[in-house]
Amino acid sequence: MVDKLILVESYGFFPAPQESDAWLDSKRKVIESILSLEENKPQPPKVRSPQEALQRLLQANSHLTEESGRILLQRGATEVPGGLVYNRDLRALTHNQDPLTLEQCVSFLSKIQASVLMIIAQDGIFNSEAENVAGYFVKPLQEAFQTNLKHFQLAEVTGNHFVHLNEPEVVAGLINIFLKRDESSKARL
């Protein structure tokens, strides 16, 4: 059992688009992406110097600080003779492999009994001005969390999608207070 759930820059779900054509387009892109990955013959991982690996990571993720990039490389790369290779499965980049409707997501979240803290960054991937595919579900899911959960806290913080990594002090206090609240209630196994 889960006693407390913390979502940082996440709604826990990634619902399928509501319109049939958009849903079909989304599903087609996922299938094409998976087929493309399977079609390409596995290449040996590219070995990069630590500095090259860091620069490549920072170029691909412009919101990361250099320090955050170094932290990610500690768990996201393996040292091999000659440098580093990334540890990643490109299939993880294909979103929405088994899409749920927004209604299904709301139904699932209504069953959550844990206390939930959701931390959303003002300049993150879910901000109202971001041009992303998540725009259609952010407001309805946020309302569903607030309506259906007994213990729900939403915190909007300054920063971008990587706020927890770039500026951990922005979220650490919120998380500590949340975790210490009702310490007597522990998950029971």
Side-chain angles (χ1 to χ4, degrees), residues 82-100:
L84 300 174
V85 295
Y86 294 127
N87 306 328
R88 64 179 172 191
D89 185 344
L90 294 176
R91 292 173 295 182
L93 299 176
T94 59
H95 292 288
N96 217 2
Q97 292 183 19
D98 191 17
L100 300 170

Side-chain angles (χ1 to χ4, degrees), residues 9-30:
E9 273 288 289
S10 172
Y11 279 79
F13 302 99
F14 200 88
Q18 300 298 295
E19 298 173 1
S20 297
D21 287 344
W23 182 87
L24 287 171
D25 186 50
S26 170
K27 194 66 171 172
R28 179 184 52 78
K29 286 178 182 174
V30 168

Side-chain angles (χ1 to χ4, degrees), residues 90-145:
L90 294 176
R91 292 173 295 182
L93 299 176
T94 59
H95 292 288
N96 217 2
Q97 292 183 19
D98 191 17
L100 300 170
T101 66
L102 183 58
E103 291 77 23
Q104 288 170 317
C105 294
V106 170
S107 175
F108 290 156
L109 80 83
S110 70
K111 309 253 187 273
I112 295 173
Q113 296 177 17
S115 296
V116 177
L117 170 61
M118 180 185 292
I119 299 173
I120 301 296
Q122 288 176 350
D123 296 322
I125 59 175
F126 300 111
N127 81 51
S128 58
E129 295 162 19
E131 301 243 350
N132 61 44
V133 294
Y136 65 91
F137 72 78
V138 167
K139 187 175 180 181
L141 263 186
Q142 198 172 89
E143 289 172 359
F145 270 96

Side-chain angles (χ1 to χ4, degrees), residues 14-184:
F14 200 88
Q18 300 298 295
E19 298 173 1
S20 297
D21 287 344
W23 182 87
L24 287 171
D25 186 50
S26 170
K27 194 66 171 172
R28 179 184 52 78
K29 286 178 182 174
V30 168
I31 292 169
E32 287 174 353
S33 178
I34 292 170
L35 289 174
S36 174
L37 287 171
E38 290 177 356
E39 194 175 275
N40 295 329
K41 293 181 181 175
Q43 300 293 320
K46 183 169 174 133
V47 178
R48 293 179 167 91
S49 73
Q51 192 57 33
E52 286 173 326
L54 176 61
Q55 290 310 310
R56 174 71 183 99
L57 181 64
L58 295 176
Q59 286 171 358
N61 299 280
S62 62
H63 294 326
L64 280 176
T65 64
E66 189 169 324
E67 181 182 356
S68 296
R70 289 184 198 287
I71 291 168
L72 285 177
L73 282 178
Q74 287 175 13
R75 71 169 188 241
T78 299
E79 195 169 341
V80 297
L84 300 174
V85 295
Y86 294 127
N87 306 328
R88 64 179 172 191
D89 185 344
L90 294 176
R91 292 173 295 182
L93 299 176
T94 59
H95 292 288
N96 217 2
Q97 292 183 19
D98 191 17
L100 300 170
T101 66
L102 183 58
E103 291 77 23
Q104 288 170 317
C105 294
V106 170
S107 175
F108 290 156
L109 80 83
S110 70
K111 309 253 187 273
I112 295 173
Q113 296 177 17
S115 296
V116 177
L117 170 61
M118 180 185 292
I119 299 173
I120 301 296
Q122 288 176 350
D123 296 322
I125 59 175
F126 300 111
N127 81 51
S128 58
E129 295 162 19
E131 301 243 350
N132 61 44
V133 294
Y136 65 91
F137 72 78
V138 167
K139 187 175 180 181
L141 263 186
Q142 198 172 89
E143 289 172 359
F145 270 96
Q146 291 169 332
T147 303
N148 291 298
L149 297 182
K150 199 179 204 180
H151 305 286
F152 174 71
Q153 178 185 348
L154 173 66
E156 187 174 314
V157 297
T158 58
N160 60 45
H161 180 63
F162 296 105
V163 66
H164 60 291
L165 194 58
N166 291 337
E167 303 167 275
E169 66 280 359
V170 172
V171 297
L174 293 167
I175 292 171
N176 283 334
I177 291 168
F178 178 75
L179 291 175
K180 288 180 180 179
R181 186 179 322 135
D182 303 324
E183 279 188 334
S184 61

